[in-house]
Amino acid sequence: MLAHTLTRPAVDPVFVRSLQAKIPEVTDSLGSGGPCRSCHPRTTCVPTGLSDAEFDQFTGLITTHRRVKTGQAIYRAGDVFKGIYLVRSGFIKTVALLEDGREQMTGFYTGGDVLGIDAIGSVDHPTDAVALEDSDVCMIAYERLEQSSRDVLALQRYLHRALSVEIVRKQAMMVLLGSMRADERVATFLLNLSERLMERGFSASEFVLRMSREEIGSFLGIKLETVSRVFSKLQKTGLLEVETRHVRIVDIEALRATVHHEVA
Amino acid sequence: MLAHTLTRPAVDPVFVRSLQAKIPEVTDSLGSGGPCRSCHPRTTCVPTGLSDAEFDQFTGLITTHRRVKTGQAIYRAGDVFKGIYLVRSGFIKTVALLEDGREQMTGFYTGGDVLGIDAIGSVDHPTDAVALEDSDVCMIAYERLEQSSRDVLALQRYLHRALSVEIVRKQAMMVLLGSMRADERVATFLLNLSERLMERGFSASEFVLRMSREEIGSFLGIKLETVSRVFSKLQKTGLLEVETRHVRIVDIEALRATVHHEVA
DNA sequence: CGTAAGCTTGACAAAGTTCAACGATTGTGG
DNA sequence: CCACAATCGTTGAACTTTGTCAAGCTTACG
C-alpha cells in the first residue's frame, strides 16, 4: 500500500523546458517503486479508478523502461509485437510506409499516451514509432496485460478505452483528411495540439512544435510548402504568431471559426 | 454439443443475388439454436478457435437480432452504446457528421464484419450506421461480452482482434486519404472490395456496388464527379468495365499498378 | 408512365503541388 | 567557440489535379 505516497506532481508549466531539460530522474523513480509512480495520470494512460492494490498491479505490469534519443525507433513496422508502450515523457511519431516509399504520419504521441496499441491483434507492428525528441517510454508486455485485464475489471476497461481512443482519433483524422481544406486541417491540428497540451498542464496558447513542416504535412495530407503557406496566412490575418517552431495562438476563436468555414 | 450439426453453408456464389433474394430464413434459424449457427465464420466475425462449449457461449451472447431495411439506421451518433453488432447479411455504411453538415463515410461493413466497435470505450456511438441494402445484424450486449471475454481467453482475443482490425483499417484509410491521388484511391477501393468479396466466396472480378458515387466519394475523400471520371478513365484504358453499379475488373494487375503509380 | 434521384461529361475555377531560389537555424568538427 | 555545412523553412511562379457548376441522360420507384 504505497499508493498514498504517490507523487503525481504538478506538471511542468514551461512547455519549452521539455526541449532542454529532458529526461527527469528516471532511474531514481525506478528504484523507488516503479516508473509509473511519477507518471501523470490520464484517461488515456494510467487508469484512474484503481484501488491501491490495483494500481500496484498495474505498475507491476511494466516490463521494460526505455529511453530513446531523438530519431531513434521504439519499434519498426514488421517488428514482433511484444507489448504496448506508455509514453512517460517526450514526443513520438508513428509512420506508415507504403511500398513505393511514400510515408504517412499516422499519429503523434506524448506524455500519458498509449503507443503501439494498433498491433494488439497482430503478430507484428504495422507502423514505425520514432522519437521526435529524447523520450521515455514504459512497455507493458501484452501477455501480462491480457492476463491481468481478465482478473481486474478496471484494467479491462482501461485497455478497451485506450483502444477506443485510438479508433476515435483515427476516425477523426479520416474526417479531416477526407473533407477539410488545407487551412482547416492546419487549424484543427493546432487546436488539437493546444488542447492536449492544456490537458497536460502546459500553455494552450503558446507552444513549440516538435515536428518539422514536412511531418506536419505528412500527418495532414498536404505538402510542407502548403503548411508553411497556411502558417504565414494565419499570421498575416492575425490569428497566429509563428516563428519557425514556436507558435502562439492569438485568436483562438477565429481559429476555431476557420475550421467550420462558412461557405460564403 | 450441437456444434457438429452446424451448417456453415457454402456462400452464395452469385453476389448479385443478395440484392434480390435478401434475408434468408432468419426466424427459423433463430428457433433452432441461435442466429449465429448459420453465420459465416470469419477472422473478423465468429471466432474460429472455439470449442463447442465456447461456441455456444459466444452465440449465447447474442441479445438482439435485428433486420434493417435500406436506409434505416442501426444506430445514430449520440445513441447510447449498448453493444457491438455482427453483420449477418447485407451492407452497411458508417458516417461521421461534422458540425457544419459535412459528411464523411468512415466505413463499409458486410457479412462477417463487426460493427459499432468504435464506441467501446464511450458512452455513446460516434457515428451513424445505416443500411445500404436490407440487412441483418446481431447485437452482443457489451456488458455480457465484457464479462465473457474475461472468462474465455478465446473471446478476449477475438475482441482484441476485432478492435485491432478496426484500427488497422482506419490507419490504411488515413494513408489512402493522406497520400493518394484520385485514381489511386478508386483503384485501392475496388481492389479492397474485390478482396473482401472473394474472402466471402463471391467473385473477385465481377460485382455490384451497393453504394452511390457520392458515398464512394465521401469514403475516398473526393467528389462524386471525380469518382465517375476515374471509372470512365479506367474503362477507357481497358482495366475495368463499368455499367452504373455493375463492375467487372478486366485487368487486375494493371489496377494494382495504378495504385503504386511509378512517378515517371 | 412520369418524376425524382443518380450518373456522366464538359468547361471553367480554385486549391494545392512542384520546382526553384533564398534565408534562417542547428549542429558539428576544427 | 566559431565557422561552415546541412537541414529546415519561406516564398514565388508555373503547372496539375480536383472541385464546381451546369446540362443532358439513364435508372429506379411510386
Side-chain angles (χ1 to χ4, degrees):
Chain A
M1 301 293 167
L2 302 161
H4 60 282
T5 66
L6 226 141
T7 46
R8 290 176 171 170
V11 281
D12 192 336
V14 184
F15 182 70
V16 190
R17 199 193 296 175
S18 76
L19 284 166
Q20 278 83 47
K22 305 147 196 154
I23 320 177
E25 304 312 296
V26 176
T27 4
D28 288 26
S29 52
L30 265 175
S32 60
C36 274
R37 291 272 166 227
S38 53
C39 246
H40 313 310
R42 317 263 161 234
T43 46
T44 52
C45 182
V46 178
T48 43
L50 297 187
S51 70
D52 290 0
E54 284 169 344
F55 183 86
D56 285 344
Q57 182 160 18
F58 181 80
T59 57
L61 291 175
I62 312 263
T63 329
T64 321
H65 181 236
R66 225 176 111 196
R67 287 188 199 165
V68 276
K69 297 222 161 221
T70 309
Q72 280 188 333
I74 293 157
Y75 53 79
R76 295 268 177 204
D79 283 359
V80 174
F81 169 61
K82 290 175 196 145
I84 63 174
Y85 295 85
L86 306 181
V87 181
R88 206 172 121 64
S89 73
F91 215 83
I92 286 142
K93 66 172 178 179
T94 53
V95 186
L97 228 125
L98 275 87
E99 294 86 341
D100 56 2
R102 276 179 287 188
E103 280 191 357
Q104 168 78 28
M105 206 77 23
T106 55
F108 293 116
Y109 299 82
T110 182
D113 287 333
V114 180
L115 187 70
I117 210 168
D118 55 347
I120 217 166
S122 332
V123 178
D124 45 28
H125 287 278
T127 49
D128 288 7
V130 176
L132 289 175
E133 61 175 21
D134 292 4
S135 302
D136 223 324
V137 297
C138 302
M139 193 185 84
I140 297 185
Y142 177 53
E143 284 190 6
R144 299 180 68 179
L145 181 62
E146 197 180 38
Q147 178 56 54
S148 299
S149 78
R150 268 187 284 145
D151 299 335
V152 184
L153 177 64
L155 279 185
Q156 187 190 27
R157 295 228 164 110
Y158 161 73
L159 181 59
H160 288 179
R161 162 158 287 265
L163 283 157
S164 165
V165 163
E166 196 70 17
I167 296 177
V168 170
R169 269 202 205 160
K170 299 266 182 288
Q171 214 147 257
M173 280 311 292
M174 279 184 64
V175 174
L176 180 144
L177 294 167
S179 72
M180 289 189 182
R181 293 204 278 86
D183 50 355
E184 302 179 272
R185 296 184 193 201
V186 173
T188 305
F189 170 72
L190 290 172
L191 290 167
N192 275 354
L193 202 55
S194 159
E195 197 178 332
R196 288 175 68 187
L197 291 171
M198 192 170 60
E199 281 170 11
R200 282 156 182 79
F202 298 110
S203 166
S205 62
E206 198 165 359
F207 46 86
V208 172
L209 302 168
R210 272 86 143 219
M211 66 295 279
S212 68
R213 300 294 133 109
E214 185 165 21
E215 284 161 338
I216 296 173
S218 168
F219 187 55
L220 300 177
I222 52 183
K223 296 289 156 188
L224 69 293
E225 291 96 332
T226 307
V227 176
S228 184
R229 275 184 247 273
V230 171
F231 276 157
S232 301
K233 186 188 154 201
L234 290 175
Q235 177 152 42
K236 210 170 292 173
T237 52
L239 311 203
L240 215 64
E241 277 171 25
V242 192
E243 216 191 301
T244 55
R245 297 204 177 181
H246 189 100
V247 173
R248 201 168 75 80
I249 298 176
V250 177
D251 188 344
I252 197 163
E253 276 314 317
L255 203 59
R256 289 205 184 98
T258 305
V259 178
H260 311 295
H261 79 302
E262 336 289 79
V263 185
Chain B
M1 304 294 167
L2 302 161
H4 60 281
T5 66
L6 225 143
T7 47
R8 289 175 171 167
V11 281
D12 191 337
V14 184
F15 181 70
V16 191
R17 198 193 296 177
S18 75
L19 285 165
Q20 279 84 47
K22 307 146 196 154
I23 320 176
E25 305 312 297
V26 176
T27 5
D28 288 26
S29 51
L30 265 174
S32 61
C36 275
R37 292 275 164 224
S38 53
C39 247
H40 312 309
R42 316 261 162 235
T43 46
T44 53
C45 183
V46 178
T48 43
L50 297 187
S51 70
D52 290 359
E54 285 169 342
F55 183 87
D56 285 343
Q57 182 162 15
F58 181 80
T59 58
L61 290 175
I62 311 263
T63 329
T64 321
H65 181 236
R66 226 176 111 197
R67 286 187 199 167
V68 276
K69 296 223 162 220
T70 309
Q72 279 188 335
I74 294 157
Y75 54 79
R76 294 268 177 204
D79 283 0
V80 174
F81 170 61
K82 291 175 196 144
I84 63 174
Y85 296 85
L86 306 181
V87 181
R88 207 172 120 64
S89 72
F91 215 83
I92 286 143
K93 66 171 178 180
T94 53
V95 186
L97 228 125
L98 274 85
E99 293 87 341
D100 57 1
R102 276 178 287 186
E103 280 191 357
Q104 168 79 28
M105 207 78 22
T106 54
F108 293 116
Y109 299 82
T110 184
D113 287 332
V114 179
L115 187 69
I117 210 167
D118 54 348
I120 216 164
S122 331
V123 179
D124 45 27
H125 287 279
T127 49
D128 288 6
V130 176
L132 289 175
E133 63 175 19
D134 293 3
S135 302
D136 224 323
V137 296
C138 301
M139 194 187 84
I140 297 185
Y142 178 53
E143 284 190 6
R144 299 181 67 179
L145 181 62
E146 197 180 39
Q147 178 57 53
S148 299
S149 78
R150 269 188 283 143
D151 300 335
V152 184
L153 177 64
L155 279 186
Q156 187 190 27
R157 294 227 164 112
Y158 161 72
L159 181 59
H160 288 180
R161 162 158 287 265
L163 282 157
S164 165
V165 164
E166 196 69 16
I167 296 177
V168 170
R169 270 202 205 161
K170 299 266 182 291
Q171 215 147 258
M173 281 310 293
M174 279 184 64
V175 174
L176 180 145
L177 293 167
S179 72
M180 289 189 182
R181 293 204 280 83
D183 50 354
E184 302 178 274
R185 296 183 194 203
V186 174
T188 305
F189 170 72
L190 290 172
L191 289 168
N192 275 354
L193 201 56
S194 159
E195 196 177 333
R196 288 174 66 186
L197 290 171
M198 193 172 58
E199 281 170 12
R200 282 155 182 79
F202 298 110
S203 166
S205 62
E206 199 166 359
F207 46 86
V208 173
L209 302 169
R210 273 88 143 216
M211 67 296 277
S212 68
R213 300 295 133 109
E214 186 166 20
E215 284 160 338
I216 296 172
S218 169
F219 187 55
L220 300 178
I222 53 183
K223 295 290 157 187
L224 70 292
E225 292 95 331
T226 306
V227 176
S228 185
R229 275 186 247 273
V230 172
F231 276 158
S232 301
K233 186 187 152 201
L234 290 175
Q235 178 153 43
K236 209 170 292 173
T237 51
L239 312 202
L240 214 65
E241 276 171 29
V242 192
E243 215 191 303
T244 57
R245 298 206 176 180
H246 189 100
V247 173
R248 201 168 75 81
I249 297 176
V250 177
D251 187 344
I252 197 162
E253 276 315 317
L255 204 58
R256 288 205 184 98
T258 305
V259 178
H260 311 295
H261 77 303
E262 335 290 83
V263 184

